[in-house]
Amino acid sequence: MPATVVLGCQFGDEGKGKIIDFLGERADVVVRFQGGANAGHTVQVGDELFAFHLMPSGILRPRTLNVIAGGVVVEPGQLLAEIDEVEARGHPAKNLRISDRAHVVMPYHKILDGLEEGLKGSLAAGSTRRGIAPVFEDKVGKWGLRMCDLVDPDALRERLSLVVPIKQRLIQAYGGTDVLDLEAIYTEYALYGKRLAPFVTDTSVLLDGMLKRRKRVLFEGAQGTLLCIDHGIYPYGTSSNCTAGAAATGAGVSPRYLDTILGVAKAFTSRVGAGPFPTEQQDDVATHLRETGGGEYGTTTHRPRRVGWIDLVILRAAVRVNGLTGLAVTKLDVLGGLDRIRVCTAYRHHGTTVKEFPASTKVLAEAEPVYRDFKGWPELPEDDWIRIAKKGPRALPRPVHRYLAFLESALKVRVDIASVGRSRAATMALHR
Ligand code: GDP
């Protein structure tokens, strides 16, 4: 703090929600700056479990301001459902602010998402069908509708009258049969606009003012570095920029403010969707990684995640592209019970050693991981891990220390936080 970015180093679902919640205690503002409802954060407070898609994680803390910034694409029905849910469970949403520049996901985006994905063949990334790629296509193509239009019935009607007939032609050209009803869309979205209007403001001005007053701002990344549209495995990723620079562009604040950039990495690798995955496992190790410690199933899609060993070629790219000042390593408990823990330090490709993440999906698909093996640690019930977390880093099993020390020396970045279970209490700051 004062300006801390927390982002994923791998393929999303690294446990960012919990780390953000852990750090959020000290934050005055939590900001979502990219992505949309295709993201999913799980936050557990006591026995209560919350799964957010659009809502910033700080919403559960009554004194924290929560900002959905301009780089986010907003699905209004989904956001209203999340507002209603947190309010129904006793957490008022009055501290929510939404950027007037954030783009809005419309029903035709979702229809086009399904149609485009069906036509993409081997380029299909395994879309969440939330309309994310089409809404970003519209943003860049300048067909988009922003929050400032949604809350203004005249602007909404004018935009829709222009865009809906074009989208209808596109749906037909893609072989779709859906019929868009302009009037019905207008009525539904005007109502969303009316309900969301009290939350909509210029969040760039708001955040700039808070940063100037040295307020503590936590920028909460969604997805992960390897899903980034620019630096991820193209085209098998998401449609937004998920790396540290996007915190500044997405939130509309100067990059000069960003002083701590914390990368969250799982102690292994997992992903949903298609694309090459050099350290992927299929056997008993895969079952162990997928089923232990709460399970590897997507928060948004509930799809079983593909799993494999930790990959330092990936993490080296995450450290570089984001300029990480520290790492949070999650799910160390999940590795418990394995005799041997493998760390991929490089790839072998056609007789050469590859240490930096390759751009070509062909090279990646052909790459053979080079492993360094470590002794495992015992599988423990979550209560035991919580007891260890309470005692502090010294109580961690020795092999965990060795594993983390190796990550630090290989990646040249400090591990600041270790997470050993789902709950907030199973998290510890490391001062090793
Ligand atoms: P995010 O998108 O990066 O916030 O990740 P998600 O919240 O979608 O997925 C992470 C899942 O792992 C959630 O179910 C968390 O409760 C869980 N989780 C986070 N940290 C740990 C950990 O250290 N150990 C275990 N077993 N689960 C964790």
Side-chain angles (χ1 to χ4, degrees):
M1 307 276 177
T4 299
V5 185
V6 177
L7 46 77
C9 292
Q10 295 151 322
F11 297 93
D13 305 317
E14 295 93 345
K16 297 177 294 295
K18 204 189 86 164
I19 300 299
I20 289 157
D21 186 53
F22 178 71
L23 297 175
E25 248 162 8
R26 285 179 287 143
D28 299 304
V29 196
V30 177
V31 186
R32 270 285 309 266
F33 56 88
Q34 47 76 224
N38 55 338
H41 283 331
T42 319
V43 179
Q44 186 169 349
V45 183
D47 290 336
E48 276 193 293
L49 202 63
F50 289 84
F52 296 136
H53 298 283
L54 279 163
M55 191 69 98
S57 311
I59 201 74
L60 305 179
R61 299 186 188 277
R63 276 184 296 280
T64 308
L65 197 66
N66 288 269
V67 172
I68 296 177
V72 178
V73 291
V74 176
E75 188 184 327
Q78 172 67 34
L79 181 56
L80 283 163
E82 289 181 31
I83 291 173
D84 290 344
E85 195 200 334
V86 293
E87 293 209 317
R89 291 169 70 181
H91 305 271
K94 63 179 187 332
N95 287 340
L96 176 68
R97 303 286 181 275
I98 309 165
S99 167
D100 48 9
R101 288 164 172 82
H103 279 247
V104 182
V105 180
M106 302 299 292
Y108 45 80
H109 291 130
K110 289 190 178 180
I111 297 169
L112 288 166
D113 202 353
L115 291 169
E116 286 180 6
E117 186 81 352
L119 292 169
K120 275 186 172 167
S122 65
L123 297 180
S127 165
T128 54
R129 316 260 165 148
R130 293 275 198 169
I132 304 298
V135 75
F136 277 109
E137 285 164 21
D138 273 5
K139 176 176 179 172
V140 177
K142 287 164 280 186
W143 296 102
L145 216 142
R146 302 188 297 171
M147 287 305 296
C148 56
D149 306 313
L150 187 76
V151 299
D152 174 347
D154 294 337
L156 178 65
R157 184 176 282 286
E158 193 188 319
R159 282 274 159 160
L160 286 177
S161 310
L162 217 143
V163 174
V164 168
I166 307 281
K167 296 298 171 188
Q168 186 66 70
R169 280 157 69 180
L170 253 183
I171 289 170
Q172 277 150 2
Y174 282 153
T177 53
D178 297 85
V179 177
L180 300 177
D181 180 340
L182 198 153
E183 223 26 63
I185 296 174
Y186 171 77
T187 308
E188 182 183 352
Y189 280 71
L191 204 65
Y192 290 152
K194 196 169 168 203
R195 280 201 64 198
L196 289 173
F199 301 104
V200 176
T201 188
D202 186 333
T203 54
S204 164
V205 172
L206 175 78
L207 290 170
D208 187 61
M210 297 193 87
L211 286 160
K212 282 202 173 102
R213 295 201 305 280
R214 306 286 297 162
K215 294 287 181 195
R216 291 159 302 183
V217 182
L218 187 59
F219 294 90
E220 140 173 66
Q223 285 94 29
T225 303
L226 264 284
L227 296 176
C228 174
I229 187 72
D230 286 313
H231 304 289
I233 307 183
Y234 188 87
Y236 302 109
T238 193
S239 302
S240 61
N241 191 300
C242 316
T243 48
T249 48
V253 301
S254 166
R256 285 188 293 125
Y257 285 121
L258 312 179
D259 49 13
T260 302
I261 300 169
L262 181 70
V264 185
K266 258 178 218 182
F268 52 96
T269 311
S270 75
R271 73 160 301 170
V272 286
F277 184 168
T279 64
E280 184 167 16
Q281 300 294 302
Q282 308 286 356
D283 49 17
D284 296 353
V285 171
T287 309
H288 179 103
L289 295 177
R290 194 175 295 119
E291 305 301 335
T292 314
E296 284 290 334
Y297 295 88
T299 310
T300 302
T301 56
H302 306 292
R303 292 181 285 188
R305 296 179 187 142
R306 298 160 64 198
V307 289
W309 298 113
I310 198 166
D311 184 338
L312 299 194
V313 184
I314 287 176
L315 294 184
R316 221 170 269 130
V319 171
R320 172 171 36 83
V321 170
N322 297 302
L324 296 185
T325 56
L327 264 181
V329 178
T330 61
K331 298 212 168 187
L332 284 158
D333 56 310
V334 173
L335 292 182
L338 292 166
D339 294 335
R340 178 183 69 171
I341 290 168
R342 313 199 86 180
V343 175
C344 167
T345 55
Y347 304 146
R348 291 292 292 168
H349 182 256
H350 294 180
T352 61
T353 302
V354 179
K355 288 199 128 184
E356 301 302 341
F357 198 77
S360 158
T361 48
K362 184 165 168 283
V363 172
L364 208 51
E366 292 166 354
E368 296 277 339
V370 177
Y371 288 117
R372 175 146 170 179
D373 291 343
F374 288 80
K375 188 169 172 284
W377 49 86
E379 184 167 0
L380 300 172
E382 178 153 20
D383 283 351
D384 287 8
W385 284 115
I386 290 174
R387 262 192 290 280
I388 289 173
K390 278 201 183 118
K391 283 188 194 155
R394 279 167 181 272
L396 280 171
R398 232 169 221 293
V400 177
H401 277 288
R402 273 193 222 108
Y403 179 81
L404 294 177
F406 179 72
L407 297 188
E408 286 186 332
S409 71
L411 296 168
K412 297 182 182 62
V413 67
R414 234 176 49 175
V415 178
D416 288 330
I417 295 174
S419 170
V420 290
R422 291 171 78 99
S423 69
R424 203 188 265 182
T427 318
M428 66 183 109
L430 299 182
H431 305 285
R432 293 176 311 117

